[in-house]
Amino acid sequence: MAAQTRSLLNKYNLRPKKRFGQNFLVDERIIQGILAAARLSPEDTVVEIGPGLGGLTVQLVQRAGRVLAVEVDGALIPPLKEQLASYPGFRLLQQDILKLDLDGAVAEAFGPITQPYKVVANLPYYITTPILMRLLEEKYQINIMLLMMQKEVGERIKAAPGTKDYGALSVAVQYYTVPELVLRVPPSSFKPAPEVESVVMRLTKREVPAVVTKDEKLFFQVVRASFGQRRKTLANGLASFFTSLPKDQIICLLEKINIDPGIRGEQLGLADFAGIADALYELLNAEGLRESR
Ligand code: SAM
């Protein structure tokens, strides 16, 4: 694999670009691990983000019926076409994944979406979190994501309340998906080797979010406010975000739902955030303040 990567780089006179987070996967064992965890079948539609030189892509098209690859770097299009053009189920889009309507792109490539698709990616690490948030928040018709990312981000995604890695990213990912660690990946599995350890995570989309709230936007505002300033108490964090409410009213609200206003936001689980959001929803409605948020 490493030899093939080298020969493609030479043939097309390319150098891995740091600014696009290009660390090509050259470890066949890891590729097989990703494919196994994706449980692919010919009925599957897969979106690959950042196909790079196509090491993973070739194996994806051999297992899934349809693969749409989205690559931002125009210089990689010729080597990708050379290796993949002969597969009838393969489509290639030169685009920034952060600017793309993914459901729209899948529908344009393969026709109306009749069943959820999978996302597989060795992510460019400089934009892991924005890509992840976009894949979740846009509510695309995805059911499973197999994502290679920096180990630390994987740890944050899976973190439990009260631990040092727990934060707004943990809440968002756990709200929409069930995250699992699939593989640990050393720097030597890539060319060039990154400076960090990596992991492959499988995120299985939940049919319904982990907690039900009256107003999802308000739920995420509560999460952001609670983690906003880590050293602040929960009551202070909420008060500095929801400025239309006096702090004593916020304290009273928290006490009513049995949450200590003096704790830190990072102690709270998803159900606690949902409880606060729903209580706030009632209060803001009662005060006629919800529109002014
Ligand atoms: N999949 C290949 C592999 O495993 O060898 C390459 C993975 S490399 C870590 C990340 C890939 O994402 C690169 O091909 C890079 O050009 C591409 N990329 C970077 N930013 C992107 C963006 N905004 N949209 C789409 N692709 C992007």
Side-chain angles (χ1 to χ4, degrees):
M1 281 246 40
Q4 200 192 346
T5 300
R6 214 174 313 116
S7 103
L8 279 169
L9 289 171
N10 284 340
K11 178 167 175 191
Y12 288 92
N13 200 15
L14 295 169
R15 277 158 159 256
K17 296 188 181 85
K18 231 184 170 155
R19 72 173 191 284
F20 286 140
Q22 291 177 357
N23 298 94
F24 302 112
L25 194 50
V26 293
D27 187 335
E28 185 62 35
R29 198 180 47 94
I30 302 297
I31 291 182
Q32 291 310 319
I34 295 173
L35 295 168
R39 301 190 189 117
L40 297 173
S41 80
E43 285 74 49
D44 278 326
T45 300
V46 175
V47 169
E48 187 188 8
I49 301 167
L53 289 166
L56 187 54
T57 327
V58 171
Q59 308 224 32
L60 287 172
V61 290
Q62 289 170 351
R63 286 168 176 78
R66 311 189 287 188
V67 174
L68 170 66
V70 181
E71 173 57 62
V72 75
D73 183 0
L76 296 174
I77 301 302
L80 285 167
K81 281 194 173 153
E82 177 194 315
Q83 296 172 87
L84 290 144
S86 63
Y87 292 95
F90 178 69
R91 303 282 185 283
L92 180 59
L93 206 53
Q94 187 195 339
Q95 263 275 14
D96 178 345
I97 190 70
L98 293 175
K99 294 191 180 140
L100 188 67
D101 161 19
L102 201 52
D103 275 1
V106 170
E108 197 163 307
F110 302 119
I113 302 173
T114 52
Q115 53 178 18
Y117 55 94
K118 298 180 175 175
V119 170
V120 177
N122 170 12
L123 289 172
Y125 291 176
Y126 72 108
I127 44 170
T128 297
T129 306
I131 292 178
L132 200 47
M133 291 313 296
R134 191 171 170 89
L135 294 177
L136 298 172
E137 286 176 345
E138 294 296 321
K139 302 192 195 305
Y140 291 135
Q141 295 188 53
I142 298 169
N143 54 4
I144 289 182
M145 301 181 234
L146 262 297
L147 305 176
M148 172 91 73
M149 60 187 71
Q150 193 172 330
K151 187 180 104 193
E152 285 70 21
V153 182
E155 281 164 356
R156 280 165 57 204
I157 280 175
K158 266 189 70 73
T163 62
K164 72 169 180 11
D165 294 322
Y166 187 62
L169 183 67
S170 331
V171 174
V173 173
Q174 293 170 26
Y175 176 82
Y176 290 111
T177 78
V178 178
E180 299 161 89
L181 171 69
V182 173
L183 288 170
R184 293 176 198 281
V185 186
S188 58
S189 295
F190 305 88
K191 283 271 175 286
E195 278 156 22
V196 294
E197 303 271 323
S198 303
V199 289
V200 175
M201 305 291 296
R202 178 170 49 209
L203 309 187
T204 306
K205 266 287 248 328
R206 295 175 184 273
E207 298 264 325
V208 288
V211 288
V212 179
T213 54
K214 294 192 167 120
D215 180 339
E216 192 171 79
K217 189 170 155 219
L218 184 56
F219 170 80
F220 281 108
Q221 285 175 334
V222 166
V223 171
R224 222 175 317 134
S226 305
F227 286 110
Q229 286 124 325
R230 281 204 167 232
R231 275 171 298 280
K232 274 195 180 174
T233 62
L234 178 62
N236 282 337
L238 291 170
S240 55
F241 190 94
F242 296 98
T243 48
S244 58
L245 294 171
K247 191 175 151 196
D248 52 358
Q249 217 170 353
I250 289 178
I251 293 177
C252 184
L253 173 144
L254 291 171
E255 283 171 344
K256 232 198 228 157
I257 56 172
N258 291 321
I259 293 179
D260 176 359
I263 63 167
R264 316 264 176 233
E266 55 264 35
Q267 301 298 122
L268 301 175
L270 271 70
D272 301 316
F273 289 119
I276 298 171
D278 284 353
L280 264 174
Y281 178 90
E282 300 297 342
L283 183 63
L284 292 167
N285 266 347
E287 306 266 322
L289 291 169
R290 216 162 70 80
E291 258 58 62
S292 63
R293 266 193 286 129

